[in-house]
């Protein structure tokens, strides 16, 4: 007779793994965006974000927001220090993506909007998962 033990709750483990993947993806894209807006050469940024030269203050502001969102979506959950901040970071990413979608749509930059929707869906998943389905306990 086989006495190997299966994980106690495989669906919960799969959901948790999916949430970690979503958090890592959001962090990667947000931190890359922060780098592009705050540290990359202006000519390189202008190739990817036409609006950045027209609105340098908005570029800097959204770069800071991207940095905070990227760190906040991952670090509190990883360290288990104030993990509820991950849920708040997910809400912040949701708000940022809704505003970014509206901004790009108002300028007719429709090719940029699918990426906003992608991050919005990921952040919504993280918000739901970390607030309701698989919250992370604080230390």
């Amino acid at each position: 007779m086989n006495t190997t033990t299966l994980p106690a709750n495989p669906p919960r483990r799969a959901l948790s793994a999916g949430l970690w993947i979503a958090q890592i993806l959001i962090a990667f894209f947000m931190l890359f965006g922060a780098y592009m807006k705050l540290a990359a050469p202006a000519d390189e940024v202008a190739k990817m974000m036409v609006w950045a030269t027209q609105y340098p203050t908005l570029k800097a502001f959204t770069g800071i927001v991207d940095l905070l969102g990227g760190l906040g979506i991952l670090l509190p959950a990883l360290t288990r220090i104030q993990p509820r901040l991950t849920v708040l970071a997910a809400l912040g990413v949701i708000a940022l993506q809704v505003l970014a979608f509206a901004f790009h749509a108002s300028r007719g930059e429709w090719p940029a909007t699918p990426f906003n929707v992608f991050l919005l869906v990921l952040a919504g998943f993280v918000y739901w998962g970390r607030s309701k389905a698989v919250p992370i306990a604080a230390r």
Side-chain angles (χ1 to χ4, degrees):
M1 181 166 13
N2 188 354
T3 59
T4 55
T5 323
L6 293 174
N9 193 344
R12 182 178 162 102
R13 290 176 57 99
L15 180 58
S16 182
L19 286 164
W20 280 112
I21 291 167
Q23 287 173 253
I24 290 167
L25 282 172
I26 293 169
F28 172 78
F29 288 122
M30 298 294 286
L31 293 174
F32 179 74
Y35 163 75
M36 289 300 295
K37 294 170 186 170
L38 298 173
D43 58 330
E44 188 178 331
V45 175
K47 290 177 196 172
M48 294 181 68
M49 299 174 222
V50 178
W51 59 270
T53 55
Q54 296 171 317
Y55 304 103
T57 305
L58 180 62
K59 179 185 83 142
F61 176 73
T62 57
I64 292 168
V65 172
D66 287 350
L67 179 63
L68 294 174
L71 294 174
I73 204 80
L74 202 53
L75 288 181
L78 275 175
T79 62
R80 292 183 25 219
I81 298 171
Q82 298 293 324
R84 66 177 166 45
L85 294 176
T86 292
V87 174
L88 294 177
L91 279 175
V93 172
I94 290 168
L96 177 65
Q97 295 314 310
V98 167
L99 292 171
F101 183 93
F103 176 77
H104 291 302
S106 74
R107 295 174 47 86
E109 299 171 349
W110 294 105
T113 59
F115 185 68
N116 299 125
V117 172
F118 172 69
L119 287 177
L120 175 68
V121 169
L122 283 180
F125 175 59
V126 171
Y127 172 76
W128 168 77
R130 293 301 181 205
S131 65
K132 308 274 186 239
V134 189
I136 294 178
R139 288 191 208 207

